[in-house]
Amino acid sequence: LKIDFLGLSTLTIMRRAVDLINERHDTALRLDNIPVDDPSIYKLLSAGNVVGIFQVESSGMRRVLQELQPSSFEDVVALLSLYRPGPMQFIDSFIARKHGQEMVEHIHPSLEPILRETYGIIVYQEQIIRIATDIAGYTSGEADLMRRAVGKKKEKDLKRQRSKFVRGAEERGMPRDKAEEIFAAIEYFANYGFIKAHSVAYAVITCQTAYLKAHYPVEYMAALLSVERHNTDKMGALAAECRRLDIQVLPPDMNRSDTDFVLEELAAEAQAASGGATHRTLAIRYGLGAIKNVGEGPLEVILKARADGGPFVCVTDLCRRVDLRQVNKRALESLIKAGALDSLCDRAKL
């Protein structure tokens, strides 16, 4: 058994989003119970609204999603497997077959149950193994050895595996020419085949992040901004996505902000039906940790002073209550220039 462990910042984003969602809504979400089959997932992916969605943020992937219009978890699994150098050449055919614009043909009817979910195209290594076991009588271990031999293109091994495959298929009633044609297809696709188990694991996270963004956009974007706060390039794109989603990102504020991006309720006048009452609009308050040249150490000192003594009333109050050996001139100037002290005094004066 070979296991590949990957450390993904996306899992941290998801955990933070789930914590924010559970705090504000009557939910009991965990990382292991976020749905992967909700219709909103496929609506969001099909629309190409994929900023912040795992594995599908590139412009090329956005275009393919809009053309494919995925409608099931299996579609996402297949797309993640195909969107790699080499197998990308099959994406157009995969899309055309899904939408009935190209006929799905099988070399032999026995391939139909194996290749049904990928519209007759061999996409996964597991499909190659199943073809060998179901059609030619290989054991699973033998089929995996065959897959490796075919992938390495060693002439001696190829010749031996071809004769074994054709003989096994003939013994199970398949015409020799069809058996040879199937082996040729395996030989062709062996270099492109992806491990389905790997793609499924990725697709779970793709669909779960899409679910969180579709149902809880403010909480999800706040989590994204917090985790990516040191990535300057990403921050611009995420702020633009918040604007697209009509999510207000409030400026940093010494008395309201935290290290991370936090949620803040704003009172707004409700219209018509509410008869002039106020409703609450959820916004994201900019995190102090995303301001350059400040650092985690000075922020800890500032936030502790605020927690112990309440909001700061002016810049002098701030400087008296924090240790200026830790919150130095550079950190203060950066906070001022970012607007974090605007509520205490005019920025130009500061």
Side-chain angles (χ1 to χ4, degrees), residues 107-150:
I107 297 168
H108 190 270
S110 58
L111 289 175
E112 198 277 335
I114 302 171
L115 303 180
R116 184 189 301 126
E117 66 175 314
T118 53
Y119 309 106
I121 299 168
I122 300 175
V123 175
Y124 310 120
Q125 292 182 12
E126 287 89 338
Q127 288 174 319
I128 293 173
I129 291 170
R130 192 175 160 196
I131 290 169
T133 56
D134 290 11
I135 292 174
Y138 281 64
T139 65
S140 295
E142 290 171 340
D144 195 38
L145 290 173
M146 182 271 281
R147 176 194 61 78
R148 289 190 219 174
V150 172

Side-chain angles (χ1 to χ4, degrees), residues 35-46 56 65 68-80 94 98-99 116-119 124 196 199-200 202-204 206-208 210:
V36 297
D37 55 358
D38 189 274
S40 65
I41 293 168
Y42 306 106
K43 185 178 178 182
L44 183 143
L45 293 175
S46 297
V56 294
L65 281 167
L68 177 63
Q69 296 289 297
S71 55
S72 67
F73 180 72
E74 287 71 23
D75 284 347
V76 179
V77 176
L79 185 56
L80 294 180
F94 185 90
K98 173 179 169 60
H99 296 304
R116 184 189 301 126
E117 66 175 314
T118 53
Y119 309 106
Y124 310 120
K196 185 181 181 184
S199 194
V200 165
Y202 269 24
V204 166
T206 299
C207 291
Q208 287 181 327

Side-chain angles (χ1 to χ4, degrees), residues 270-317:
Q271 302 298 317
S274 58
T278 61
H279 68 271
R280 310 302 294 184
T281 300
L282 205 57
I284 298 172
R285 176 67 70 176
Y286 204 92
L288 298 176
I291 300 172
K292 285 186 175 181
N293 305 321
V294 179
E296 305 284 335
L299 287 181
E300 282 183 22
V301 174
I302 290 169
L303 294 175
K304 185 177 187 305
R306 191 178 76 189
D308 292 344
F312 302 107
V313 294
C314 62
V315 69
T316 307
D317 180 42

Side-chain angles (χ1 to χ4, degrees), residues 22-300:
N22 288 338
E23 282 172 17
R24 305 194 62 83
H25 304 275
D26 188 21
T27 54
L29 282 177
R30 304 184 310 274
L31 293 192
D32 60 355
N33 71 355
I34 301 170
V36 297
D37 55 358
D38 189 274
S40 65
I41 293 168
Y42 306 106
K43 185 178 178 182
L44 183 143
L45 293 175
S46 297
N49 297 329
V50 291
V51 173
I53 305 302
F54 182 67
Q55 285 291 101
V56 294
E57 285 192 87
S58 71
S59 57
M61 184 62 93
R62 184 184 298 116
R63 177 188 60 80
V64 171
L65 281 167
Q66 288 173 316
E67 291 176 1
L68 177 63
Q69 296 289 297
S71 55
S72 67
F73 180 72
E74 287 71 23
D75 284 347
V76 179
V77 176
L79 185 56
L80 294 180
S81 299
L82 288 169
Y83 199 85
R84 297 175 297 116
M88 285 183 79
Q89 63 182 294
F90 306 119
I91 289 177
D92 288 343
S93 186
F94 185 90
I95 292 170
R97 292 183 182 193
K98 173 179 169 60
H99 296 304
Q101 298 158 352
E102 183 179 303
M103 189 177 292
V104 178
E105 294 181 308
H106 299 285
I107 297 168
H108 190 270
S110 58
L111 289 175
E112 198 277 335
I114 302 171
L115 303 180
R116 184 189 301 126
E117 66 175 314
T118 53
Y119 309 106
I121 299 168
I122 300 175
V123 175
Y124 310 120
Q125 292 182 12
E126 287 89 338
Q127 288 174 319
I128 293 173
I129 291 170
R130 192 175 160 196
I131 290 169
T133 56
D134 290 11
I135 292 174
Y138 281 64
T139 65
S140 295
E142 290 171 340
D144 195 38
L145 290 173
M146 182 271 281
R147 176 194 61 78
R148 289 190 219 174
V150 172
K152 289 177 180 175
K153 304 289 185 190
K154 290 185 178 177
E155 192 59 39
K156 189 177 176 182
D157 289 343
L158 268 178
K159 198 171 180 180
R160 186 170 65 251
Q161 290 293 347
R162 185 183 292 109
S163 62
K164 180 179 178 179
F165 182 90
V166 171
R167 185 171 64 251
E170 281 188 296
E171 287 171 359
R172 282 156 184 77
M174 182 175 287
R176 183 179 184 83
D177 62 329
K178 293 295 181 185
E180 288 179 341
E181 198 177 340
I182 291 171
F183 189 85
I186 290 173
E187 199 175 338
Y188 180 71
F189 282 99
N191 280 340
Y192 303 131
F194 198 63
I195 301 169
K196 185 181 181 184
H198 184 121
S199 194
V200 165
Y202 269 24
V204 166
I205 302 176
T206 299
C207 291
Q208 287 181 327
T209 52
Y211 176 88
L212 293 174
K213 186 179 179 184
H215 286 273
Y216 306 100
V218 183
E219 290 87 350
Y220 186 68
M221 293 307 297
L224 261 172
L225 286 161
S226 291
V227 173
E228 299 288 357
R229 66 177 188 263
H230 299 304
N231 186 338
T232 309
D233 294 337
K234 204 83 180 272
M235 290 295 288
L238 294 176
E241 181 67 1
C242 286
R243 286 193 293 273
R244 190 190 69 78
L245 295 168
D246 291 327
I247 298 171
Q248 192 174 355
V249 180
L250 304 170
D253 187 297
M254 189 58 69
N255 284 327
R256 293 177 178 270
S257 293
D258 204 330
T259 302
D260 290 333
F261 289 70
V262 294
L263 303 181
E264 190 171 311
E265 285 190 346
L266 303 173
E269 291 299 318
Q271 302 298 317
S274 58
T278 61
H279 68 271
R280 310 302 294 184
T281 300
L282 205 57
I284 298 172
R285 176 67 70 176
Y286 204 92
L288 298 176
I291 300 172
K292 285 186 175 181
N293 305 321
V294 179
E296 305 284 335
L299 287 181
E300 282 183 22

